Amino acid sequence: MSLIAAAPFCTSWAQSSEPHIQWGVSGGVNRYQEKGLMQLQGPEIGVHAKLTQWSALPSVQWEADVLLGKQKYTSEGSGSMTGVTNLETRWRALTPVFSNEPTNQGFLTGLAVHTLWNDLRGTSSTGSGGYERSATQLWLPVRWVSNFWELEAGVLVYGRHTSKLSQANTSPPSADVVNTQKKGAYLQGQLNLQMDARHTLSPYVRYTGLGDSDVVNRTYEPASERWQAGVTWQFTTP
């Protein structure tokens, strides 16, 4: 999935002044749950990129992930719905902690921005109306990289969650709500199985937990848990 999944390079970055791009494609499953309220689950595919050796900031590695899924919504209170689109993006800038030289191993840290979008518009099996949900989040990630495995953790700094309740068929109509989230963490582990000099397979597991948001107009975003697991195929261009 993620270029958290970046495959190791054994040569020193300092040996080349040319920018280096690593690509990845992934397939996996995504399960999101608000306990006692609802669940979203289904397959997802991903496209990933990692840029290193950029001359302007040679010690920084720039990473991007785009994940697209189709999920099934289930809730004891509002029924079920299929074909729910889930779009997630992650953007990271990471730099070594204990090295003055560019390196892809050891401890790295930096900043990350995540976005989420759920399209629940439509009518559920019980006639309940759905709506779009989106979020933008700022995270502080820390990553440890060895030859064959990686472990990354992140702490949420700030998040904004938008619920377009005006799209639901409520009576009287509801107003859209923007909530603030300040409690959350994630943890991802993965293996890097080198196939050859240019190709790596990386199975991964990721957990993300978010706490309750603030309350706006008597509405809040409940605490949630998300599990993601799959395999990323990573490759470099000649």
Side-chain angles (χ1 to χ4, degrees):
M1 173 176 73
S2 164
L3 276 158
I4 292 172
F9 303 109
C10 296
T11 58
S12 170
W13 294 1
Q15 290 178 355
S16 173
S17 60
E18 293 296 320
H20 186 281
I21 300 178
Q22 183 183 47
W23 301 96
V25 292
S26 63
V29 293
N30 184 325
R31 181 177 181 270
Y32 172 89
Q33 183 180 35
E34 296 172 4
K35 288 186 177 180
L37 298 174
M38 67 90 141
Q39 177 178 294
L40 285 160
Q41 182 170 325
E44 66 181 3
I45 57 174
V47 178
H48 316 275
K50 175 181 176 180
L51 172 67
T52 56
Q53 300 174 196
W54 183 36
S55 58
L57 291 168
S59 66
V60 179
Q61 54 190 57
W62 308 87
E63 303 174 358
D65 311 309
V66 179
L67 299 157
L68 177 65
K70 284 292 186 179
Q71 301 178 326
K72 180 178 180 180
Y73 168 88
T74 55
S75 169
E76 291 185 5
S78 55
S80 63
M81 184 186 299
T82 59
V84 176
T85 300
N86 184 74
L87 178 64
E88 178 180 1
T89 71
R90 306 179 194 140
W91 312 88
R92 291 178 301 281
L94 300 174
T95 188
V97 176
F98 300 118
S99 174
N100 294 325
E101 299 294 332
T103 179
N104 65 315
Q105 293 194 356
F107 276 109
L108 299 98
T109 190
L111 287 174
V113 175
H114 299 177
T115 69
L116 299 160
W117 178 68
N118 246 170
D119 190 1
L120 280 159
R121 287 174 293 179
T123 304
S124 74
S125 60
T126 60
S128 299
Y131 52 90
E132 292 175 271
R133 306 164 72 238
S134 62
T136 302
Q137 303 163 341
L138 178 66
W139 293 83
L140 286 176
V142 176
R143 180 185 302 169
W144 169 261
V145 184
S146 72
N147 287 330
F148 304 107
W149 58 272
E150 300 180 17
L151 187 66
E152 179 168 325
V155 175
L156 179 67
V157 177
Y158 181 82
R160 284 173 58 88
H161 188 281
T162 301
S163 301
K164 294 191 174 182
L165 301 178
S166 60
Q167 297 173 344
N169 57 354
T170 59
S171 182
S174 301
D176 295 346
V177 175
V178 179
N179 294 108
T180 298
Q181 296 171 306
K182 294 184 178 180
K183 297 178 182 179
Y186 72 81
L187 180 66
Q188 174 164 319
Q190 76 176 35
L191 296 176
N192 291 320
L193 307 176
Q194 198 81 32
M195 300 172 64
D196 55 38
R198 291 180 47 221
H199 300 88
T200 304
L201 282 180
S202 298
Y204 64 85
V205 176
R206 182 184 184 96
Y207 169 82
T208 304
L210 295 172
D212 292 339
S213 73
D214 64 352
V215 179
V216 177
N217 296 335
R218 294 182 295 178
T219 302
Y220 72 101
E221 184 64 19
S224 64
E225 294 183 339
R226 186 187 303 273
W227 285 94
Q228 293 164 282
V231 177
T232 303
W233 170 44
Q234 300 183 79
F235 56 93
T236 56
T237 53

